[in-house]
Amino acid sequence: MKIELFVPCFVDQLYPETAFNTIKLLEKAGCEVNYNAKQTCCGQPAYNAGYWEQAKEIGNKFLNDFSESDYIVAPSASCVGMVKNGFNDLFTNTIVHNKCRNMQSNIFELSDFLVNVLKKDYFGAELDGKAVYHDSCSGLRECKIKDEPRQLLSKVHGLEMVEMKDTDMCCGFGGTFAVKFDAISSAMAEQKINNAIEMEAEYIISTDLSCLMHLEGYIKKNNIPIKTMHIADVLANGWLDY
């Protein structure tokens, strides 16, 4: 199966190892992974800030950078959610309407693709410790992902998954929200971290590095002994045969 890899811009710039681990997972699952080095952003930052014309320009580039016939997979529910939902506002009843719809039906967040398309949930990963899973707003509400990450994480050797309180509540990042309303954003991160501490978690795992980056900032500032990990990094951890 041929896969086109979509690496969100902040993953490319700040967490490239997650992109490489995504490739490892897809290849271990039997996929042929193609990466277009000319790809950039999906347009979400401009879209969320209200600059829809600029977002449309960036979105048009996205539509030209990827195929409408192959599966597109990304380690980010946030960016996948932008294509699946935000693009409706930008491209409905335009000249690229049908192309956009085809790509919307073919783009998947990583855990969704592994479980529901490839029907694979075991990769021989190992990680010792206790962890909680954070449901990102985009994953839960835009991509309708809830059970898939938990199913994958339940097969990781040595990892004890526990459910924290209010796991489906926002972490406080929200892109520009964290900048415009920093006090509220920090308080929401504090609440999320306290819920993880209550469960004696050593790790917070999610599908979205934007959420994890926000939580990691609070963790480091307050010297809290919890690590954040993207699900791709967890599933590629401890391999001996790759």
Side-chain angles (χ1 to χ4, degrees):
M1 183 181 293
K2 290 185 177 180
I3 303 300
E4 295 187 33
L5 179 66
F6 169 36
V7 179
C9 42
F10 68 93
V11 177
D12 177 65
Q13 294 297 311
L14 301 176
Y15 301 96
E17 189 62 29
T18 299
F20 286 116
N21 283 332
T22 299
I23 296 172
K24 290 179 181 179
L25 287 166
L26 292 169
E27 288 182 340
K28 192 166 188 177
C31 297
E32 177 186 332
V33 182
N34 296 309
Y35 174 73
N36 180 0
K38 294 182 179 180
Q39 66 177 268
T40 51
C41 180
C42 63
Q44 183 179 186
Y47 174 83
N48 288 344
Y51 296 98
W52 283 20
E53 285 304 313
Q54 290 86 342
K56 189 172 183 179
E57 182 179 349
I58 300 170
N60 263 313
K61 183 180 184 305
F62 180 94
L63 294 178
N64 289 326
D65 285 340
F66 292 91
S67 167
E68 57 182 302
S69 57
D70 291 336
Y71 285 115
I72 305 167
V73 180
S76 169
S78 176
C79 295
V80 169
M82 171 61 188
V83 176
K84 282 186 172 294
N85 301 284
F87 276 23
N88 290 336
D89 292 323
L90 303 179
F91 300 114
T92 296
N93 295 328
T94 68
I95 194 171
V96 294
H97 177 101
N98 291 336
K99 182 178 183 179
C100 179
R101 291 295 179 268
N102 289 335
M103 295 179 74
Q104 286 176 316
S105 65
N106 287 337
I107 190 168
F108 288 84
E109 181 276 330
L110 177 63
S111 68
D112 185 17
F113 185 75
L114 293 176
V115 172
N116 294 321
V117 179
L118 296 182
K119 309 297 182 183
K120 294 183 181 295
D121 61 8
Y122 177 72
F123 292 89
E126 295 184 5
L127 181 65
D128 291 328
K130 182 185 287 189
V132 292
Y133 178 77
H134 162 62
D135 290 285
S136 73
C137 295
S138 297
L140 190 63
R141 297 169 179 84
E142 294 187 354
C143 297
K144 312 302 180 184
I145 298 165
K146 182 175 179 66
D147 296 331
E148 293 84 354
R150 290 170 170 83
Q151 181 176 334
L152 289 160
L153 293 169
S154 71
K155 302 295 179 68
V156 176
H157 295 287
L159 186 62
E160 179 187 357
M161 294 299 302
V162 293
E163 288 289 327
M164 65 177 166
K165 183 172 59 180
D166 299 328
T167 183
D168 58 348
M169 289 185 64
C170 181
C171 68
F173 178 62
T176 54
F177 177 85
V179 177
K180 293 182 177 180
F181 304 98
D182 60 311
I184 300 174
S185 176
S186 296
M188 294 172 75
E190 179 182 15
Q191 182 182 47
K192 181 70 65 171
I193 297 301
N194 285 339
N195 289 340
I197 292 173
E198 184 179 325
M199 300 308 299
E200 299 181 343
E202 300 166 75
Y203 300 95
I204 298 176
I205 302 169
S206 183
T207 57
D208 282 85
L209 282 165
S210 51
C211 298
L212 295 175
M213 178 177 64
H214 178 61
L215 295 175
E216 185 179 12
Y218 182 88
I219 288 169
K220 288 184 175 180
K221 182 179 180 180
N222 293 279
N223 297 312
I224 298 170
I226 295 179
K227 296 180 180 179
T228 61
M229 289 187 73
H230 188 276
I231 190 169
D233 301 323
V234 175
L235 297 177
N237 192 69
W239 289 3
L240 297 177
D241 59 343
Y242 184 80

